Amino acid sequence: MLYDDNLKGFIRMKRVLVSAVLFCILINAGCSKNQPEDSRIVTHSHKEKGDIVMKQNLLCLMLAYPENIIGVECDENGWVYVAMKSGKRILYDDKRTKTYDEKMETPDLQDMMEQGYPLYDIDNLLDKGNDPGRVRVYAMLKEVYGESRKQIEANLVTVRFGYKNCRFNSSNKAAESLKKAGVELTELINKHKSVSAFIYPVGGTYSYRLISGTNRLSAHSFGTAVDLSVSKYDYWKWASREQGQKRLDSYPKEIVRVFENNGFIWGGKWGHFDIMHYEYRPELIFKSRYFAGKPLSDECWFKGIETEDADIKNYIQLIDKALK
Ligand SMILES: [Zn+2]
């Protein structure tokens, strides 16, 4: 009897499960009819997807470096360049297939923009190799912040950051953005005293130096990065991933949000973590803000961005004209 009841129960449960699965399939079929964007993604060729993403990346670069980038060019062989005010042109995509190390050593703009920066709180360290912003195109940084040490230093200004004076690059609103972040952090400390220990003493801003173990200049060399209060567990070369994870767990996310709202990315969101480090990289913040998680649309590649703004409209027209 007991066995029969169990069997009947089992059959009933199976029917319910089958009905539920069928219901889900029908619902999904209905949804996909109502979401033409999703089905369009599937029909995009690899090249078309690349073209849409390229236009989005170029727009974010133009928004991020408005005083330096004056246009986009495509030559007769299909090579796309960003045209700088100085007359220089920076190649967008060298079309080479590269390893992670090759992207770090010889990146193009496409490599620099490739990994999406997560503009949301993270609970876990990113995987090693997922380092949005760690790839830098030095030709662009030099154009914007100074070609040489002498030129960079001529662009430095002293910024009041909380109770400390810091040297930061005045070009492209970098220093202005650090100052604004400093004011917002003071307001944060007034509300939550405990965050102060994560900010002060400030580890440093401008320092003309190579990244440890490489022959590449650090972002600190351009006066566009700040290290906050340093812990021995902040850096992937000093600490294990477990130690880095513990530091991440204890880290006030409000500090990160203040910097991100002012155009900075956080080294705590790199698989090669650098938790003390904030770097002014507005192009990556724009890309996440406007395009992250949005379906690619072949009707409108800039879907997701505010188009009433005259500057943005102008950039969109420039890009469309150059890449038609
Ligand atoms: Zn740093």
Side-chain angles (χ1 to χ4, degrees):
M1 193 63 187
L2 191 64
Y3 173 77
D4 277 358
D5 279 352
N6 279 345
L7 188 67
K8 277 181 199 158
F10 176 71
I11 291 168
R12 247 197 320 272
M13 203 165 78
K14 208 172 151 190
R15 277 187 197 143
V16 169
L17 273 172
V18 169
S19 307
V21 169
L22 279 173
F23 180 72
C24 284
I25 290 170
L26 284 170
I27 287 288
N28 275 334
C31 283
S32 59
K33 268 183 208 154
N34 294 330
Q35 290 179 338
E37 286 91 350
D38 287 351
S39 54
R40 277 206 299 272
I41 293 175
V42 178
T43 62
H44 277 309
S45 71
H46 186 66
K47 186 181 175 302
E48 283 168 334
K49 266 196 241 178
D51 287 348
I52 294 171
V53 174
M54 172 169 65
K55 287 179 177 180
Q56 293 179 345
N57 286 344
L58 290 167
L59 178 59
C60 292
L61 286 164
M62 294 183 92
L63 288 169
Y65 303 102
E67 288 160 35
N68 298 86
I69 299 178
I70 56 165
V72 170
E73 293 172 11
C74 181
D75 72 11
E76 64 275 18
N77 298 313
W79 297 102
V80 174
Y81 298 88
V82 164
M84 309 301 293
K85 194 171 69 179
S86 67
K88 278 193 185 160
R89 300 189 309 166
I90 301 175
L91 184 63
Y92 173 75
D93 184 3
D94 59 20
K95 298 180 186 172
R96 282 169 52 215
T97 304
K98 296 178 204 167
T99 63
Y100 177 87
D101 288 340
E102 286 166 344
K103 284 180 188 177
M104 295 295 293
E105 290 293 334
T106 54
D108 53 32
L109 292 170
Q110 186 269 329
D111 297 325
M112 185 172 86
M113 300 296 288
E114 192 171 36
Q115 293 184 322
Y117 178 83
L119 207 51
Y120 47 81
D121 296 344
I122 56 161
D123 294 325
N124 297 304
L125 286 177
L126 301 189
D127 293 337
K128 236 175 176 178
N130 190 5
D131 303 306
R134 208 162 163 251
V135 170
R136 303 176 187 91
V137 171
Y138 287 89
M140 177 68 79
L141 293 180
K142 287 180 175 182
E143 278 285 312
V144 177
Y145 300 111
E147 280 289 335
S148 62
R149 181 173 187 165
K150 202 174 160 196
Q151 277 186 16
I152 292 166
E153 290 186 353
N155 286 335
L156 296 179
V157 288
T158 300
V159 174
R160 190 77 186 159
F161 181 76
Y163 61 75
K164 194 175 158 51
N165 285 331
C166 297
R167 289 210 293 167
F168 223 66
N169 204 303
S170 60
S171 297
N172 202 40
K173 297 188 177 166
E176 195 182 313
S177 301
L178 181 73
K179 191 177 174 187
K180 199 161 159 279
V183 171
E184 290 173 26
L185 289 173
T186 302
E187 288 166 10
L188 183 65
I189 292 168
N190 289 339
K191 277 190 247 161
H192 308 283
K193 297 268 179 287
S194 60
V195 301
S196 182
F198 291 86
I199 301 169
Y200 301 113
V202 173
T205 51
Y206 173 70
S207 167
Y208 199 85
R209 64 173 191 244
L210 298 176
I211 299 166
S212 139
T214 77
N215 57 8
R216 296 190 303 275
L217 284 173
S218 153
H220 291 276
S221 307
F222 294 93
T224 56
V226 55
D227 289 336
L228 299 188
S229 175
V230 181
S231 150
K232 61 182 176 180
Y233 303 125
D234 274 346
Y235 190 44
W236 65 278
K237 279 192 177 176
W238 304 340
S240 67
R241 281 184 70 83
E242 288 71 25
Q243 289 167 329
Q245 179 63 48
K246 271 193 186 163
R247 173 81 169 145
L248 184 80
D249 293 341
S250 68
Y251 202 88
K253 304 293 188 286
E254 296 87 348
I255 297 176
V256 182
R257 283 182 224 137
V258 164
F259 275 99
E260 289 173 346
N261 287 340
N262 286 291
F264 288 77
I265 58 168
W266 179 40
K269 292 182 177 176
W270 291 342
H272 291 84
F273 56 93
D274 190 351
I275 293 171
M276 68 194 122
H277 180 88
Y278 290 88
E279 181 174 334
Y280 187 63
R281 297 290 293 281
E283 73 277 21
L284 294 171
I285 298 294
F286 281 132
K287 187 171 178 185
S288 299
R289 188 177 295 158
Y290 295 130
F291 297 120
K294 308 256 171 71
L296 298 179
S297 164
D298 53 7
E299 283 168 11
C300 174
W301 61 266
F302 49 87
K303 201 171 182 180
I305 197 162
E306 174 61 59
T307 49
E308 290 311 307
D309 184 288
D311 286 340
I312 296 177
K313 276 185 178 171
N314 181 36
Y315 295 146
I316 289 170
Q317 277 176 3
L318 277 172
I319 292 167
D320 272 336
K321 203 174 161 198
L323 305 177
K324 56 181 181 241

